Amino acid sequence: MARISLIVIVALLLAGPLFCPFDPIAQDREAASSPPTIHHWLGTDDYGRDLAARFLYGGRWSILTGAAATLLALTLGWIAGGAAGFIGGAADAIIMMVAEWFLAVPWLYLLVAARAAMPLDLSPRVAMLAIILLIAIVNWARPARLVRGLVLTLSRKGYVEAARGFGVPRWKIFVRHILPGTAGLLTAQALLLFPRFVLAEVTLSFLGLGAGEPHPSWGALILPLKQIYLLSDHWWTLLPTLLMLPFFVATAILAQGLEKRYRLSR
Amino acid sequence: MIRRALASLLQIVAISAIAFFLFSVAPGDFYSAERLSPQLHGRSIEQWRAARGLDRPWPVRYARWIESCARGDFGTSLAYGIPVTRLVAPRVVRSAVILFPAWIFGWIVAVCTAAWAARRRDRMLEPAMTILNMSPEVIVVSVLLWIGVALRIPLERAWLPSMGLILAIAPLVFIHAFRAVSEAQSANFVRIAASRGIASRRLWIRFILPAAANPLISLIGPSLAAAIGSSLVIEAMSGWPGLGPLFLEAVQSRDYDVVQAVVVMLGAVLTFTNLAADLILYRLDPRIHLNTDGAH
């Protein structure tokens, strides 16, 4: 159920712009601040931009950023954790110590600080790449720690010891017998991190550190809600924000189910 | 134990060095914006920078910063021209005033509900809490704002950020507490105790809750980190003049002494919270060895 709805939501956001007749940036002053109508399903904002189009385009943007960041963060964490578990000794201690440092700072603060250290007026594409990179760099530590723990657990398993007994070289044991075992953990982590990173992008855009104004993003849709008059007089500006919820809820349910299954199978 | 405390101290120093390095390699500084002003001569900006020591390489500045920190001086805000401590301290107080009560209240509510739900073997609350836990703060706070506007509740009070924080903390703690209590409930020694006719109250106080305590104690640090992270967004959203808005403002105007102080302070708070949680665990559970291989 959650799986189907997540697939539908993501498909809708990825393909949605194809069906949407409005340009998310085009301003129609005639129809500014209009409540939902037959044409503008979610109404328009103060500049006369169609909110449904901004929701769809913005969602595609936020979700792609989140997905890419998840992929990159997991890859970094996988490499660091795998290396720490495989090499062991001093390398292990150093990698895990650095991971500990990254875990000790609230990551949103770190992310905001790091993003702010870059110029604010980047083109949307460059900003997207920068955000993906930063999210991954700030968040590699937790998956790295989990992967390392799992590698250490797996290398004490019977079949690994058996392989070792047969004289299989160490790297081969690692590649053939230990790495495949981390797949389940990585999938569960991916589902857990994906919504969180989408949210990180949304939050950065909300704080004005995202892709920058005319560009649609979910964070840019939430930003105007800080102005109270919008909530009291233009109630429909809250609609896009509420429509974001199903995505987060569906990923949460899915991640929980996967985690449960993963815990049972171990 | 001393080694563990030293490791924490090293961690704080490392965080400060990383933060310092990050801001030093970043292009531009506080005076970048003033360079655009036609009234200012390039040379006077250079003089200002030299007066603040901003033209030195970063290791030199870092050494100076560490030295001044040791004297209790955490730098001077370039934007306000007053010592960072005087700028940050009132903001920290304003943030703490809502953060800690909300954090503690969230914990109490979450643990009580979790114990109650686990006792009744209620399976409905957990999915609901998961959904709430995954609902982004920005969305939760916008809905709260909307409710406040609709019901004409004054918005400048502390209720909005407090509610937002409680809604951010309680579900997280609930999920872990529910899991821990449920597991403890079905542990063998609890079942044996129950079958020997130990009264329900005693069973809960002496057997189930202590068994569920370990994972919860290690959650203290992460939950505080989550609360601090959420407070950044929640304060920005609800206009609460705490640490979050100051941090954002400093970040955008490149007032790095302030940013640096905030990052290091938060890192220190969390490091010590984690240390405290570890020490409590160590006291409570003799099976745990400090500093073995970091695999908790």
Side-chain angles (χ1 to χ4, degrees):
Chain A
M1 182 55 195
R3 192 176 314 183
I4 296 168
S5 45
L6 184 64
I7 291 171
V8 169
I9 294 167
V10 171
L12 194 72
L13 290 172
L14 292 183
L18 297 178
F19 312 118
C20 184
F22 292 101
D23 183 341
I25 301 178
Q27 304 189 353
D28 178 5
R29 294 285 173 162
E30 301 287 300
S33 306
S34 116
T37 59
I38 277 292
H39 294 291
H40 302 287
W41 287 3
L42 299 179
T44 58
D45 64 9
D46 283 0
Y47 303 100
R49 297 179 296 199
D50 182 53
L51 282 178
R54 287 184 75 69
F55 175 75
L56 288 174
Y57 279 90
R60 178 161 72 167
W61 174 269
S62 299
I63 279 183
L64 283 179
T65 314
T70 311
L71 212 63
L72 194 60
L74 282 180
T75 314
L76 284 180
W78 193 52
I79 292 172
F86 178 64
I87 302 169
D92 180 22
I94 290 172
I95 292 176
M96 283 306 115
M97 192 170 69
V98 176
E100 198 72 29
W101 297 344
F102 274 87
L103 289 175
V105 186
W107 65 276
L108 198 55
Y109 273 77
L110 199 60
L111 187 62
V112 168
R115 171 64 183 89
M118 305 175 127
L120 295 175
D121 50 345
L122 299 171
S123 77
R125 239 165 249 282
V126 181
M128 181 178 180
L129 282 179
I131 290 172
I132 291 171
L133 255 172
L134 284 177
I135 293 179
I137 291 173
V138 170
N139 282 290
W140 64 275
R142 200 171 296 277
R145 200 149 89 164
L146 291 172
V147 167
R148 171 185 171 272
L150 188 61
V151 165
L152 290 184
T153 316
L154 288 178
S155 49
R156 283 194 285 268
K157 290 253 167 159
Y159 60 88
V160 174
E161 302 222 323
R164 204 173 291 143
F166 283 124
V168 181
R170 237 183 125 219
W171 63 268
K172 207 167 177 184
I173 293 179
F174 189 66
V175 173
R176 293 282 297 271
H177 300 293
I178 294 180
L179 283 190
T182 58
L185 175 78
L186 287 179
T187 340
Q189 278 293 304
L191 261 179
L192 214 66
L193 294 179
F194 176 44
R196 201 174 292 175
F197 290 174
V198 172
L199 179 62
E201 196 279 334
V202 170
T203 309
L204 279 181
S205 307
F206 168 74
L207 297 173
L209 299 166
E213 214 339 91
H215 193 87
S217 134
W218 277 2
L221 281 169
I222 301 179
L223 183 58
L225 297 183
K226 277 208 284 194
Q227 284 144 340
I228 305 294
Y229 80 93
L230 276 180
L231 284 171
S232 55
D233 300 344
H234 302 169
W235 55 270
W236 60 91
T237 45
L238 187 67
L239 288 179
T241 307
L242 291 180
L243 280 176
M244 293 170 201
L245 265 182
F247 164 75
F248 291 103
V249 170
T251 38
I253 294 173
L254 212 55
Q256 200 194 19
L258 203 67
E259 203 200 338
K260 220 168 244 170
R261 191 151 29 130
Y262 174 70
R263 260 194 305 158
L264 288 180
S265 72
R266 261 224 290 176
Chain B
M1 196 187 277
I2 292 168
R3 264 186 66 194
R4 181 71 179 72
L6 278 181
S8 300
L9 210 62
L10 177 70
Q11 185 170 328
I12 295 167
V13 175
I15 291 168
S16 76
I18 293 175
F20 209 92
F21 173 71
L22 192 72
F23 303 136
S24 310
V25 293
D29 59 27
F30 181 69
Y31 295 107
S32 298
E34 312 213 324
R35 244 176 256 282
L36 299 175
S37 162
Q39 292 173 325
L40 286 170
H41 200 277
R43 210 168 53 217
S44 44
I45 291 176
E46 285 312 314
Q47 277 170 356
W48 280 343
R49 293 190 68 218
R52 312 264 193 203
L54 284 178
D55 52 346
R56 302 295 192 83
W58 79 271
V60 177
R61 279 188 289 142
Y62 182 63
R64 276 198 188 173
W65 184 78
I66 285 280
E67 185 223 5
S68 73
C69 282
R71 279 187 278 116
D73 171 16
F74 290 90
T76 307
S77 158
L78 295 174
Y80 292 93
I82 56 174
V84 168
T85 36
R86 264 185 54 206
L87 187 64
V88 172
R91 299 300 196 106
V92 171
V93 172
R94 294 214 80 164
S95 279
V97 161
I98 57 162
L99 185 82
F100 282 104
W103 183 56
I104 293 167
F105 188 69
W107 261 88
I108 295 172
V109 169
V111 171
C112 293
T113 352
W116 178 75
R119 184 168 185 177
R120 296 188 8 158
R121 313 216 173 254
D122 190 335
R123 300 252 154 234
M124 287 308 292
L125 262 170
E126 200 190 5
M129 287 291 183
T130 311
I131 290 171
L132 204 55
N133 187 32
M134 286 309 291
S135 308
E137 298 96 1
V138 258
I139 298 182
V140 171
V141 177
S142 358
V143 173
L144 282 178
L145 261 175
W146 182 73
I147 294 173
V149 169
L151 299 180
R152 302 189 183 286
I153 305 170
L155 289 169
E156 66 278 5
R157 298 286 168 75
W159 71 268
L160 183 64
S162 309
M163 274 300 283
L165 273 172
I166 292 171
L167 285 177
I169 305 298
L172 173 77
V173 178
F174 175 88
I175 292 168
H176 286 87
F178 183 75
R179 195 173 289 166
V181 175
S182 300
E183 267 169 28
Q185 248 180 330
S186 53
N188 282 335
F189 71 92
V190 173
R191 288 187 173 183
I192 292 170
S195 69
R196 291 174 71 193
I198 290 177
S200 168
R201 170 189 295 221
R202 188 173 155 80
L203 191 69
W204 273 86
I205 293 175
R206 298 280 307 175
F207 291 84
I208 298 177
L209 292 181
N214 272 9
L216 291 184
I217 290 169
S218 27
L219 187 67
I220 292 176
S223 78
L224 187 62
I228 291 175
S230 306
S231 76
L232 172 67
V233 178
I234 289 171
E235 285 177 2
M237 187 90 200
S238 59
W240 183 257
L243 197 58
L246 174 74
F247 180 74
L248 288 174
E249 187 193 311
V251 145
Q252 266 157 359
S253 67
R254 316 244 147 160
D255 200 349
Y256 286 145
D257 269 5
V258 178
V259 179
Q260 170 85 7
V262 171
V263 168
V264 172
M265 188 192 68
L266 292 179
V269 167
L270 287 178
T271 307
F272 283 121
T273 315
N274 281 332
L275 178 66
D278 279 2
L279 291 181
I280 295 173
L281 267 185
Y282 181 61
R283 282 298 290 265
L284 288 181
D285 194 340
R287 287 170 302 179
I288 295 170
H289 299 287
L290 287 175
N291 218 358
T292 40
D293 61 350
H296 300 303

